[in-house]
């Protein structure tokens, strides 16, 4: 039977269309278009920078996923992620958030429960205090990239020259005494470095622990602010006086990263801050004083309660993520035992993310490379977010208060503390102003009448 000419032409045309579609499907452009892009918001800390560098191996193993990074300074990160998730903006697929935000955002149903981490993830290997701080109603809503408490770093060479022996548990009066002995600005060495940059997660984090150990608290059991009290005045006066006498110039601009840079270049005799810095300061690739760093527990004054904080920078998947399964896959990879092994292989055991897994602290290779490991582990395990002060509190959290309003309250108080540090106002006036503004905020939000 003869096929009509029109039918032949139509068949040829359809065959051509199918061929073009097939070639297009196989083209690099089409393959790229089919990729899932994950947008990750993270902080510009050293461990996170390493994660970004090593993530190329994740992309290689998962060719259908590509990563887009948004790396921000700590205060900016908090503002951007909070605004985005509260407004359901959906800019990010993975958020770097902390122990403060995680349970609050989980209660508001803003986060995806992390039940897709895989059979080999080993959730029970996560350190219990860190894991519980990232959970809500028994479910994990974020997984720790690194966990931390706080501790004292000091220059062993300077202390030996000054004849100072550091006890297992230093005190803040000793910190003042030691700062006086080793302070040598003519040689570019300052007695002590502390956080001065305003922010609820910057200067307020440190000052809160100081207030705790001086016997103070943020609120009494009826949610009345207790900022304009003798304990707060004693702690804040100590902080302002110590930094003005023995701190570096411009201390009110220094947060974690700035003080890390100062200490690692030999400009700080002492530093009280996050335990995560221990690995960075002990790494010859990162620190000029790697062989001169001593470690001790966070100092105390009257009471040990709340003198060392508890925190985790963690990865979470917002409910607004367009690719939640791919996001959980990345989150599981970046916080896994295998990732820790990868960092050890590429950068050495001293550089692995600390404070997350029991298996890390049981590893003899890590113990050998990290002389600070036992102090860090004890600090994390001893921090109790349910008893941050000598007196009972209606809130949880050592260096923060676990209510949504604390971001605004802490940021406001942080500004007044910075003003006292730079002598734009007195300590007394800074505390009065903080008390008044916090009272107004608590009344406005219905905590008190």
């Amino acid at each position: 039977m003869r096929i009509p000419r029109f039918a032949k032409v139509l068949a040829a045309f359809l065959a051509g269309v199918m061929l073009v579609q097939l070639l297009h499907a196989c083209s690099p452009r089409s393959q790229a278009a089919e990729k899932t892009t994950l947008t990750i918001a993270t902080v510009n800390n050293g461990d996170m920078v390493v994660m970004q560098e090593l993530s190329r191996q994740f992309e290689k193993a998962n060719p259908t996923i590509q990563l887009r990074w948004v790396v921000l300074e700590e205060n900016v990160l908090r503002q951007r992620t909070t605004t985005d998730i509260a407004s359901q903006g959906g800019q990010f697929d993975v958020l770097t958030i902390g122990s403060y935000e995680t349970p609050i955002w989980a209660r508001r149903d803003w986060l995806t429960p992390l039940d897709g981490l895989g059979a080999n993830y080993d959730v029970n290997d996560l350190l219990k205090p860190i894991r519980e701080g990232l959970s809500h109603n028994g479910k994990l809503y974020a997984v720790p990239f690194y966990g931390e408490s706080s501790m004292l770093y000091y220059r062993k060479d300077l202390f030996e020259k000054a004849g100072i022996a550091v006890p297992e548990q230093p005190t803040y009066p000793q910190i003042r005494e030691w700062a006086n002995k080793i302070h040598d600005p003519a040689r570019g060495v300052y007695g002590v470095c502390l956080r001065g940059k305003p922010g609820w997660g910057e200067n307020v984090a440190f000052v809160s622990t100081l207030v705790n150990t001086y016997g103070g608290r943020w609120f009494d059991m009826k949610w009345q602010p207790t900022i304009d009290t003798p304990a707060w005045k004693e702690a804040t006066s100590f902080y302002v006086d110590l930094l003005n006498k023995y701190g570096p110039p411009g201390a009110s601009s220094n947060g974690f990263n700035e003080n890390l840079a100062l200490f690692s270049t030999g400009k700080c005799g002492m530093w009280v801050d996050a335990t995560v810095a221990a690995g960075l300061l002990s790494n010859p690739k990162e620190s000029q004083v790697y062989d001169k760093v001593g470690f001790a527990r966070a100092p105390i004054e009257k009471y040990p309660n709340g003198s060392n904080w508890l925190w985790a920078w963690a990865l979470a998947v917002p409910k607004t993520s367009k690719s939640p399964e791919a996001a959980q896959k990345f989150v599981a990879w970046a916080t896994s035992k295998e990732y820790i092994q990868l960092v050890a292989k590429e950068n050495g055991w001293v550089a692995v993310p600390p404070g997350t897994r029991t298996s890390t602290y049981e590893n003899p290779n890590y113990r050998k490379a990290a002389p600070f490991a036992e102090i860090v582990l004890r600090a994390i395990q001893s921090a109790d977010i349910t008893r941050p002060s000598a007196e009972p509190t209606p809130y949880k959290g050592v260096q923060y208060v676990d209510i949504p309003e604390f971001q605004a309250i802490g940021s406001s108080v942080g500004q007044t503390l910075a003003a006292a540090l730079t002598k734009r106002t007195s300590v007394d006036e800074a505390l009065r102003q903080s008390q008044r503004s916090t009272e107004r905020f608590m009344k406005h939000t219905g905590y008190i009448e």
Side-chain angles (χ1 to χ4, degrees), residues 15 18 26 33 127 139 232 248 296 329 360 386 407 411 435:
M18 291 176 65
C26 296
L127 293 174
K139 288 187 176 182
W232 268 83
K329 192 171 188 178
T360 300
T386 67
Q407 287 197 61
S411 296
Q435 178 78 12

Side-chain angles (χ1 to χ4, degrees), residues 108-131:
R108 294 186 169 189
D109 197 31
W110 288 351
L111 300 176
T112 300
L114 297 181
D115 48 17
L117 299 172
N120 297 324
Y121 185 76
D122 195 0
V123 169
N124 292 327
D125 186 50
L126 299 174
L127 293 174
K128 186 178 179 181
I130 299 294
R131 185 177 74 241

Side-chain angles (χ1 to χ4, degrees), residues 103-176:
I104 294 174
W105 292 3
R107 286 197 295 270
R108 294 186 169 189
D109 197 31
W110 288 351
L111 300 176
T112 300
L114 297 181
D115 48 17
L117 299 172
N120 297 324
Y121 185 76
D122 195 0
V123 169
N124 292 327
D125 186 50
L126 299 174
L127 293 174
K128 186 178 179 181
I130 299 294
R131 185 177 74 241
E132 290 180 344
L134 299 173
S135 299
H136 174 61
N137 287 340
K139 288 187 176 182
L140 199 60
Y141 281 86
V143 281
F145 185 73
Y146 69 74
E148 65 182 32
S149 184
S150 53
M151 66 192 298
L152 169 67
Y153 303 100
Y154 62 94
R155 284 274 301 278
K156 291 188 294 185
D157 55 331
L158 299 180
F159 273 53
E160 184 178 346
K161 184 178 178 181
I164 301 170
V166 179
E168 181 181 353
Q169 178 59 78
T171 66
Y172 275 109
Q174 287 176 320
I175 295 296
R176 188 203 301 271

Side-chain angles (χ1 to χ4, degrees), residues 55-69:
S55 66
R56 290 189 291 269
Q57 300 203 27
F58 173 83
E59 290 178 304
K60 184 178 179 180
N62 298 272
T64 61
I65 301 175
Q66 65 181 20
L67 307 177
R68 176 177 173 267
W69 293 87

Side-chain angles (χ1 to χ4, degrees), residues 82-102:
T82 302
T83 300
D84 183 68
I85 201 165
S87 64
Q88 296 189 334
Q91 294 183 52
F92 307 112
D93 298 289
V94 176
L95 303 174
T96 303
I97 60 177
S99 304
Y100 163 73
E101 298 97 338
T102 301

